[in-house]
Amino acid sequence: MWVTSSCTAALTPTSVALGNFDGLHLGHRQVVQPILNRSPEQNSATILASGPNLRSNAGRDENLESEPPATCYNDSAAPPDRAGSSHNFEGLIGPRAHGNSLSGRDSDGVDRLYGTVVTFDPHPQEFFTGQQKKLLTPLAEKVELLEAMGVEQLVLLPFDRELAALTACEFVEEILVRQLKASRISVGVDFRFGRGRAGTAVDLQSIASGYGIDVALVPLHNCGEGDRISSSAIREGLASGDLTRANQLLGRPYSLVGTVVGGQRLGRTIGFPTANIELPPEKFLPRFGVYAVRVSLKHGWEKMKEESSSYQRENPKSLIPGAASNLSFVNGVMNVGCRPTVDGLQPTVEVHLLDWSGDLYGQTLSASLVEFLRPEQKFASLDALKTQIQADCDIARSVLTAKV
């Protein structure tokens, strides 16, 4: 997938899904679907894989909150038809999904539209307040999810005073028409844009029609027991430890993705070695406490201590049914918090892998949160902590076995 922060380096012409898309939850995916260069059969399969009980809520006009990434991968590579145009934020990230190339014409030699997600960097709220926005999906996660859906390009519009000053008409004309050469646009019905957020989704549809651009207005959606799907609702679920609600709205388990770094090795001394995971600083943390998790590992890292049902080898729950994978999954117990028993001051994320041993330093792990087991607490001694960790492991095995 091509990632750029410069419209002049974008692959054009485009089919654009416009928004912030933090979390890429079930509602966001409905906005992205119309711009994918995929067959109707593929699109239907992906929608079915997005999650259960998805219901339209077209009659309501609320803000479908989502946030953009605050950082971006760098890559000096340029796509075949944009040689020499590389930018600090540009790069080819990962393999092209479904065999799509980055050439500008289809098999019949006709100009085709690049399925493009356009978002803002930083989030406008972060720009105006100066406060860092905590993200459900930092850039690396967002790129992986978008590429799995079949998105070919991610454009990160630098949100600065110049962009903030554009009126709704100027934004359409300058960004969408002149620079991105959009022929199709998809937005949620609650989308707002332009100076002072004065432009509505209906305004976008009206302005764009003057340029011959089709605009799809995607209704809001509810899920499960009527909860509206939004990034705010997902944050509330995560903050309270209600993983059932958060994961249902996301359409997948919430994941913490980061690099394994050195720690105090306290877990090893009490018989429960842990991997310290360093997360991006902008990552939104769930409620402090202990979780049953499934951790993805690349093949070749694992060394089994014993045969156990806690270890599984399977494809990840991709947005694309049947997608190939080189990942394995190991069940585990994760602690998120400040470790009050040992007077910790800064939040840490540590995971103990069940029935597994090996060297993970420097590797990137993705831990999917399956169930919240208990809040963080301070124990009177390390022996008491050890006893509780053993109980946590027993409960996690039972929970994860039941949810296979």
Side-chain angles (χ1 to χ4, degrees), residues 165-187:
L166 294 178
T167 65
C169 288
E170 290 170 340
F171 181 85
V172 173
E173 180 178 355
E174 176 64 20
I175 304 297
L176 298 176
V177 176
R178 191 179 72 82
Q179 296 188 35
L180 294 178
K181 299 179 173 57
S183 292
R184 183 187 309 144
I185 301 170
S186 177
V187 294

Side-chain angles (χ1 to χ4, degrees), residues 55-356:
R55 300 199 303 273
S56 172
N57 191 15
R60 299 175 64 185
D61 185 16
E62 302 176 20
N63 287 330
L64 190 88
E65 182 188 343
S66 55
E67 294 80 16
T71 59
C72 185
Y73 282 167
N74 296 330
D75 198 309
S76 59
D81 56 350
R82 293 283 179 177
S85 66
S86 60
H87 180 279
N88 184 44
F89 277 86
E90 292 163 18
L92 284 169
I93 309 297
R96 257 79 69 199
H98 315 300
N100 287 338
S101 70
L102 289 179
S103 62
R105 294 181 182 273
D106 60 22
S107 58
D108 297 322
V110 178
D111 285 343
R112 68 176 178 85
L113 305 180
Y114 291 95
T116 301
V117 166
V118 176
T119 185
F120 303 95
D121 178 27
H123 188 282
Q125 183 179 339
E126 182 175 327
F127 172 80
F128 286 118
T129 65
Q131 301 296 315
Q132 185 184 57
K133 193 81 172 175
K134 293 296 183 178
L135 305 177
L136 299 174
T137 47
L139 183 66
E141 294 179 58
K142 183 175 291 186
V143 166
E144 183 176 359
L145 290 166
L146 289 174
E147 187 169 46
M149 290 186 70
V151 174
E152 297 171 287
Q153 178 171 231
L154 174 62
V155 176
L156 304 163
L157 294 179
F159 195 89
D160 52 20
R161 296 199 178 280
E162 182 179 355
L163 186 66
L166 294 178
T167 65
C169 288
E170 290 170 340
F171 181 85
V172 173
E173 180 178 355
E174 176 64 20
I175 304 297
L176 298 176
V177 176
R178 191 179 72 82
Q179 296 188 35
L180 294 178
K181 299 179 173 57
S183 292
R184 183 187 309 144
I185 301 170
S186 177
V187 294
V189 294
D190 57 348
F191 180 72
R192 303 300 293 262
F193 71 111
R195 185 189 305 159
R197 301 181 73 248
T200 66
V202 174
D203 292 333
L204 174 61
Q205 193 173 51
S206 175
I207 298 167
S209 67
Y211 295 94
I213 301 174
D214 176 60
V215 177
L217 302 186
V218 179
L220 303 178
H221 289 84
N222 289 340
C223 188
E225 299 301 319
D227 282 345
R228 190 174 78 76
I229 301 171
S230 71
S231 298
S232 293
I234 293 167
R235 283 187 174 82
E236 291 171 4
L238 293 171
S240 66
D242 188 353
L243 276 184
T244 299
R245 180 187 184 210
N247 290 346
Q248 185 179 45
L249 298 179
L250 274 170
R252 65 181 183 279
Y254 187 63
S255 296
L256 300 181
V257 183
T259 304
V260 178
V261 297
Q264 294 181 330
R265 295 179 177 267
L266 175 63
R268 190 175 302 276
T269 66
I270 61 175
F272 295 95
T274 61
N276 249 346
I277 302 179
E278 184 176 62
L279 303 176
E282 68 272 22
K283 178 69 174 181
F284 182 87
L285 290 179
R287 180 182 180 182
F288 285 4
V290 179
Y291 294 82
V293 298
R294 285 197 176 96
V295 181
S296 65
L297 306 175
K298 286 186 177 179
H299 290 171
W301 295 355
E302 65 272 10
K303 182 174 68 177
M304 296 301 300
K305 289 196 296 187
E306 57 182 297
E307 291 298 323
S308 169
S309 61
S310 69
Y311 176 81
Q312 304 154 42
R313 183 186 294 273
E314 59 182 58
N315 283 340
K317 302 300 186 289
S318 170
L319 299 180
I320 307 302
S325 171
N326 69 336
L327 298 179
S328 296
F329 288 82
V330 179
N331 290 339
V333 178
M334 170 174 279
N335 184 80
V336 179
C338 293
R339 303 181 301 166
T341 303
V342 293
D343 299 322
L345 299 177
Q346 297 299 320
T348 61
V349 175
E350 298 176 285
V351 61
H352 170 67
L353 302 181
L354 301 174
D355 310 308
W356 189 97

